[in-house]
Amino acid sequence: MKNTVVLAVLFSAIIVASSSVVTVATVSGQQVAGSSATASSNSTVTVGWFGTSINTLNPYTTYSALGRWIGSNIYLPLVYYDAANRTVTPALASSWSINFANHTALFTINPKAVWSDGVPVTAQDVVYSYKLASQNYSVLEQYVSPVSSMVALNPHTVEVTMTSVLWTTWAAYVAVVPYHVWDKVNASTYPAYNTTGSQYFVGDGPYVLSKYVVNQYTEIQKNPRAFLAGHMPGVSNVIFQFFNSESSAISSLQAGSIQGLTGILPSDVSLFQNNSKFTVTTSPGLEYFYLAINVNPQGNGNPTLRNLTVRQAMAHAINLTYIAKTVYHGNAQVLDSVLTPTNQYYDGNLTPAYNYSVAYANKLLTQAGFQMTSSGYRENASNTSQKLSYTVLVPSGDTLEVEAANMIAQNLSAVGIKLTVTAETTGTMVATIWPHYSQDMDLWDWFDYTQNSPYRLLGMFLPNQIAAGNSDSGFVNSTYQQVWNKLENATSLSQVTNLSDQLQQILHQQLPYIPLFIPSAITVYSSQIGNVSAYPGGPFGGYDYLTFTQMHYSTAGSKPSSSSNTTYYVVGGVIAVVVFVAAAGVLVSRRRRNN
């Protein structure tokens, strides 16, 4: 007999995986967890951002964390995770039934769902969106890989055939876009807004895109046709302001021209923690830093990096504990895995341990035939043109990443490896890496905001992510692909855990990435702001779609003054402005990307 579990509104992912059939029903118009008050008619929130700028607002091609965060406010997926990332709640789908016995799922589209131009949201939109997500240019391709087929049974019902129990990976993290708009454009290059014509943007989220100026700011405003109870706009307008550096954001916060900052340095906390005008919170971090090594077989970087022994020696030569303590003042955790410790599938028992040892690193390089020269750096004894001399790209806007890269260069010089640190804009880094892989290494970061799934960050190492512009290592490994294929067909959560551990172990041994550390997310914001969540990543860390639907604040006090670092906008007669600066600046994703 099939086991059916019915829940009124909330749904536990753990219960789902242990049942053959799971049905979720919702009561029309019923409030769900995280409900918010009606948006104030005179409220504008400006979010500052630095790091990787937006490459596009297309949810299938953006690698920017900021682009992803904006997208989560303007496009709905089938289901949501709550802010704690543990409970599945209705989004575009008002109800669903998951049958693990026959690998099928049925989703019922909310009959109230409507696009911002008044056109009803239908099953056709869902099927079309998943087709886009599955294309080889899509950064979401690995998310939908367990979907075998998707069919619109009628305008409000979608049937899905799937291979894996991890249905929420695609149901919760793939945006649905309007077919009647996107079918008229080239979806692979469409920026998700129109530069000509009267219909600038069409979405179905609590907000719609109202303005976008490249490398300056993006504005969203409350969707007058927002329909999802419990996710109505908490503020009327949100402006995401791009900053070129974190120092300018900190100065603006001190001057009072901005009211919030996420990703603040531990050394600067004392400036605010005893000031009644500010609230300081610390959350577990979701942004992890890594050293990506170009191992692409067709890449144009230094070929000696394809030598595993060289990569192992590097891992032993980097004093991560000291770097984390020095750069982040002890406010960062050293990592082994490419998943973060808050991820359900994080494996904290990977072997071997790459303990810091200059002597052992030197021994490995000497045994591999790389001799020390009079210059103090090593070269291949049998091919002197192969020198252990590399360049590492690092985002110029993040002083901590640059500092960490310079310390790594000092560590590597002790074992005869020359590392030149080149700080570039993230746009230049992207152009150097893709599609020709002209770099040697890059020190960058990803945000792990798919906390209930291993797919996003483990999927970055699949060959198809080279073309999609996600894999900066160019890693290709047949064993890894074979284990991934099994993961796509996992029949239980225990099997998902086992296979995820195997994938993490392969990456740990092959070292296309050397994971570095994950800082805690420190947030400072005005004490006038209320109902701000402090879940992993911080409330303004670039992934929490509930931020602006939950938020409320007092407009008492004078308007923040403008400065050379912050642009002030008056939108539709709005006079009250609250400014946040998110110095985290994510995935899946780019790092300060997306995905």
Side-chain angles (χ1 to χ4, degrees):
M1 174 179 287
K2 296 180 180 178
N3 179 21
T4 302
V5 178
V6 180
L7 301 179
V9 176
L10 302 181
F11 167 75
S12 169
I14 296 176
I15 293 176
V16 167
S18 62
S19 305
S20 297
V21 181
V22 176
T23 300
V24 175
T26 60
V27 179
S28 177
Q30 184 172 347
Q31 292 286 327
V32 299
S35 63
S36 60
T38 302
S40 169
S41 60
N42 295 312
S43 56
T44 295
V45 171
T46 300
V47 176
W49 191 270
F50 71 89
T52 299
S53 58
I54 298 172
N55 63 317
T56 177
L57 291 170
N58 183 324
Y60 310 112
T61 57
T62 184
Y63 56 67
S64 162
L66 179 55
R68 175 84 180 197
W69 190 20
I70 292 171
S72 71
N73 286 279
I74 58 182
Y75 294 118
L76 295 181
L78 285 169
V79 298
Y80 273 137
Y81 271 109
D82 68 358
N85 245 326
R86 288 293 178 263
T87 302
V88 181
T89 63
L92 188 56
S94 57
S95 64
W96 54 91
S97 176
I98 312 296
N99 190 321
F100 292 107
N102 63 10
H103 306 286
T104 61
L106 287 176
F107 291 87
T108 301
I109 307 303
N110 190 328
K112 295 183 178 181
V114 62
W115 295 106
S116 55
D117 61 356
V119 175
V121 180
T122 68
Q124 182 185 36
D125 296 312
V126 178
V127 174
Y128 173 74
S129 298
Y130 275 74
K131 178 182 177 181
L132 295 183
S134 68
Q135 301 304 305
N136 59 10
Y137 60 75
S138 171
V139 297
L140 303 179
E141 184 180 7
Q142 74 268 34
Y143 289 48
V144 300
S145 57
V147 176
S148 300
S149 66
M150 180 175 286
V151 180
L153 299 182
N154 57 54
H156 289 95
T157 307
V158 176
E159 181 181 58
V160 182
T161 303
M162 57 189 181
T163 62
S164 171
V165 295
L166 279 180
W167 65 275
T168 55
T169 296
W170 44 268
Y173 299 115
V174 174
V176 174
V177 298
Y179 171 80
H180 68 284
V181 174
W182 285 62
D183 187 51
K184 297 179 177 64
V185 299
N186 182 344
S188 66
T189 59
Y190 185 47
Y193 59 93
N194 297 325
T195 56
T196 59
S198 59
Q199 194 65 58
Y200 180 70
F201 172 83
V202 177
D204 63 350
Y207 294 90
V208 291
L209 181 69
S210 54
K211 192 175 295 183
Y212 175 46
V213 180
V214 177
N215 292 327
Q216 295 186 35
Y217 70 95
T218 305
E219 178 188 309
I220 60 177
Q221 63 185 27
K222 64 179 180 179
N223 181 358
R225 290 190 168 96
F227 60 87
L228 188 60
H231 296 279
M232 304 304 286
V235 291
S236 298
N237 296 70
V238 182
I239 298 171
F240 300 86
Q241 179 72 44
F242 186 73
F243 283 77
N244 289 321
S245 71
E246 57 193 315
S247 60
S248 61
I250 293 174
S251 297
S252 296
L253 185 63
Q254 290 177 299
S257 57
I258 62 175
Q259 279 68 53
L261 175 65
T262 292
I264 192 170
L265 306 181
S267 57
D268 292 323
V269 170
S270 60
L271 299 173
F272 308 100
Q273 62 186 169
N274 295 320
N275 190 330
S276 61
K277 295 181 179 180
F278 296 98
T279 299
V280 180
T281 64
T282 300
S283 308
L286 294 181
E287 180 188 22
Y288 89 88
F289 293 83
Y290 62 86
L291 185 66
I293 302 172
N294 184 356
V295 296
N296 189 327
Q298 280 73 50
N300 295 307
N302 190 323
T304 61
L305 289 173
R306 299 172 202 158
N307 186 316
L308 178 58
T309 303
V310 172
R311 303 197 298 274
Q312 291 172 333
M314 289 171 55
H316 283 288
I318 300 173
N319 191 346
L320 286 180
T321 301
Y322 178 78
I323 294 174
K325 180 179 179 181
T326 303
V327 175
Y328 291 96
H329 300 265
N331 196 59
Q333 177 180 348
V334 173
L335 291 178
D336 290 324
S337 175
V338 299
L339 298 183
T340 58
T342 52
N343 190 294
Q344 180 180 342
Y345 296 98
Y346 170 76
D347 184 357
N349 299 300
L350 298 171
T351 57
Y354 295 107
N355 298 319
Y356 173 60
S357 174
V358 173
Y360 188 64
N362 274 313
K363 179 181 178 180
L364 286 175
L365 292 173
T366 300
Q367 290 177 343
F370 294 96
Q371 63 184 3
M372 193 75 77
T373 66
S374 59
S375 67
Y377 298 107
R378 293 179 180 268
E379 62 184 28
N380 191 331
S382 59
N383 184 353
T384 56
S385 66
Q386 293 188 352
K387 303 181 185 299
L388 301 192
S389 177
Y390 312 113
T391 295
V392 59
L393 303 178
V394 59
S396 57
D398 193 317
T399 58
L400 296 189
E401 289 186 79
V402 174
E403 182 181 355
N406 282 314
M407 295 185 72
I408 289 173
Q410 292 176 6
N411 284 169
L412 295 181
S413 67
V415 299
I417 296 176
K418 182 179 181 180
L419 185 64
T420 301
V421 177
T422 301
E424 300 280 8
T425 65
T426 54
T428 300
M429 291 177 65
V430 168
T432 302
I433 298 172
W434 294 281
H436 302 298
Y437 284 85
S438 301
Q439 87 287 7
D440 293 324
M441 307 178 213
D442 60 271
L443 195 160
W444 221 341
D445 53 282
W446 283 113
F447 280 73
D448 187 9
Y449 51 77
T450 53
Q451 293 287 286
N452 296 280
S453 171
Y455 269 69
R456 176 178 180 257
L457 293 182
L458 295 183
M460 300 293 185
F461 299 92
L462 298 173
N464 61 13
Q465 291 305 297
I466 294 175
N470 269 330
S471 172
D472 47 355
S473 66
F475 181 64
V476 178
N477 183 283
S478 60
T479 303
Y480 193 88
Q481 183 69 65
Q482 291 168 9
V483 177
W484 178 270
N485 293 342
K486 293 179 182 178
L487 180 64
E488 289 183 331
N489 295 278
T491 57
S492 67
L493 284 184
S494 61
Q495 188 178 18
V496 172
T497 299
N498 179 267
L499 293 169
S500 298
D501 288 350
Q502 291 182 45
L503 292 172
Q504 290 172 78
Q505 183 67 48
I506 292 171
L507 296 175
H508 183 72
Q509 293 178 344
Q510 294 297 313
L511 290 174
Y513 274 16
I514 298 178
L516 302 177
F517 28 73
I518 179 168
S520 298
I522 304 176
T523 301
V524 179
Y525 57 89
S526 168
S527 57
Q528 293 177 313
I529 302 165
N531 206 30
V532 177
S533 61
Y535 292 105
F540 309 109
Y543 83 99
D544 186 358
Y545 61 87
L546 290 176
T547 297
F548 306 113
T549 59
Q550 291 181 328
M551 180 187 302
H552 62 78
Y553 67 93
S554 168
T555 58
S558 60
K559 179 182 68 180
S561 60
S562 61
S563 69
S564 59
N565 298 316
T566 303
T567 304
Y568 178 72
Y569 304 97
V570 178
V571 183
V574 171
I575 59 173
V577 176
V578 175
V579 184
F580 291 96
V581 173
V586 108
L587 119 87
V588 188
S589 252
R590 174 196 198 153
R591 327 169 213 225
R592 287 186 190 197
R593 298 208 287 197
N594 169 53
N595 253 7

